[in-house]
């Protein structure tokens, strides 16, 4: 039950915070995101709203959201039950045992993600987010949609700069212990 409550509360706000930070620190990604979203906005009235086709065309925006999720490792891990005896690096995990897959470590595997500590939205579309198999997160698409909409309006209407020194720590969870401070200005 706690997982349901926390997964819908803290994840979206944390991903939004980190997306702003990562995009600030990686201007090339911010420029690409802005370019994609300005193209969507082109020819629309000032008070337009995004429609489903617009959202589905946001391929780079989706990649930015997925890479932010990968970098943030919001879920500490997944509990799974083995369905057969499983050998991993010479150790046998018996059928029926419950194992904990630490997603905070799997996202740092350089065999899967070259330069795993580098923000790189161009590495997509592959990544296991929101659980796996039959246990996918029911809020997966809603979360991606929320962050994508926020980013669309942010990059098409504003520019931002850091105020002070903004630091992110990633253990035991990803957070900004002193907050993140930005100055917004209209485009």
């Amino acid at each position: 039950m706690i997982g349901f409550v926390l997964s819908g509360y803290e994840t979206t706000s944390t991903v939004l915070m980190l997306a702003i930070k990562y995009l600030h620190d990686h201007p090339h990604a911010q420029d690409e995101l802005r370019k994609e979203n300005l193209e969507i906005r082109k020819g629309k009235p000032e008070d337009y709203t995004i429609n489903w086709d617009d959202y589905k065309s946001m391929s780079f925006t989706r990649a930015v959201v997925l890479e932010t999720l990968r970098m943030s490792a919001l879920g500490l891990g997944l509990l799974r039950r083995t369905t057969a005896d499983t050998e991993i690096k010479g150790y046998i995990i018996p059928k029926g045992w419950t194992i904990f897959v630490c997603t905070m470590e799997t996202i740092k595997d350089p065999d899967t993600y070259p330069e795993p500590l580098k923000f790189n939205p161009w590495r997509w579309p592959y990544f296991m987010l929101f659980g796996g198999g039959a246990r996918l997160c029911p809020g997966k698409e809603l979360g991606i949609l929320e962050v994508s909409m926020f980013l669309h309006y942010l990059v098409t209407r504003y520019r931002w700069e850091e105020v002070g020194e903004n630091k992110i720590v990633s253990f035991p969870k990803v957070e900004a212990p002193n907050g993140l401070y930005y100055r917004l200005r209209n485009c």
Side-chain angles (χ1 to χ4, degrees):
M1 212 35 151
I2 290 172
F4 281 120
V5 172
L6 291 179
S7 64
Y9 169 71
E10 203 171 85
T11 53
T12 303
S13 59
T14 301
V15 170
L16 288 171
M17 172 191 72
L18 292 171
I20 292 168
K21 173 68 171 154
Y22 295 145
L23 289 167
H24 173 271
D25 293 350
H26 299 86
H28 184 59
Q30 186 181 147
D31 291 344
E32 178 105 6
L33 182 70
R34 183 171 282 113
K35 179 181 170 186
E36 176 181 86
N37 284 277
L38 285 173
E39 187 62 33
I40 290 167
R41 182 179 175 186
K42 192 186 330 182
K44 294 188 179 189
E46 187 63 31
D47 63 344
Y48 74 98
T49 56
I50 297 289
N51 64 38
W52 187 248
D53 290 332
D54 293 334
Y55 168 65
K56 294 308 270 181
S57 72
M58 296 178 170
S59 57
F60 190 73
T61 303
R62 186 177 184 86
V64 166
V65 174
L66 293 175
E67 180 69 353
T68 302
L69 284 163
R70 186 193 69 79
M71 295 281 295
S72 65
L74 294 172
L76 296 176
L78 309 165
L79 288 171
R80 295 293 184 260
R81 186 172 311 268
T82 57
T83 57
D85 287 354
T86 306
E87 182 179 341
I88 298 177
K89 296 188 176 184
Y91 295 95
I92 301 292
I93 301 170
K95 177 182 177 179
W97 277 32
T98 300
I99 60 170
F100 180 76
V101 179
C102 182
T103 55
M104 290 183 73
E105 292 305 314
T106 59
I107 64 160
K108 296 177 186 172
D109 180 2
D111 293 333
T112 305
Y113 306 106
E115 298 181 277
L117 301 179
K118 179 180 177 188
F119 180 75
N120 179 8
W122 292 272
R123 74 172 84 235
W124 290 94
Y126 306 105
F127 178 53
M128 181 185 82
L129 291 172
F130 307 104
R135 296 183 181 183
L136 287 175
C137 174
K140 171 188 173 202
E141 284 302 321
L142 177 61
I144 293 171
L145 175 71
E146 288 174 328
V147 176
S148 297
M149 294 302 97
F150 177 87
L151 290 176
H152 171 80
Y153 289 106
L154 178 68
V155 300
T156 59
R157 297 179 181 193
Y158 302 98
R159 298 206 182 256
W160 64 97
E161 62 186 61
E162 283 189 338
V163 176
E165 189 176 338
N166 292 325
K167 290 188 177 181
I168 300 286
V169 297
S170 56
F171 186 83
K173 67 178 190 167
V174 177
E175 62 183 345
N178 300 315
L180 294 180
Y181 299 92
Y182 293 91
R183 183 174 296 116
L184 289 176
R185 59 183 163 78
N186 290 329
C187 284

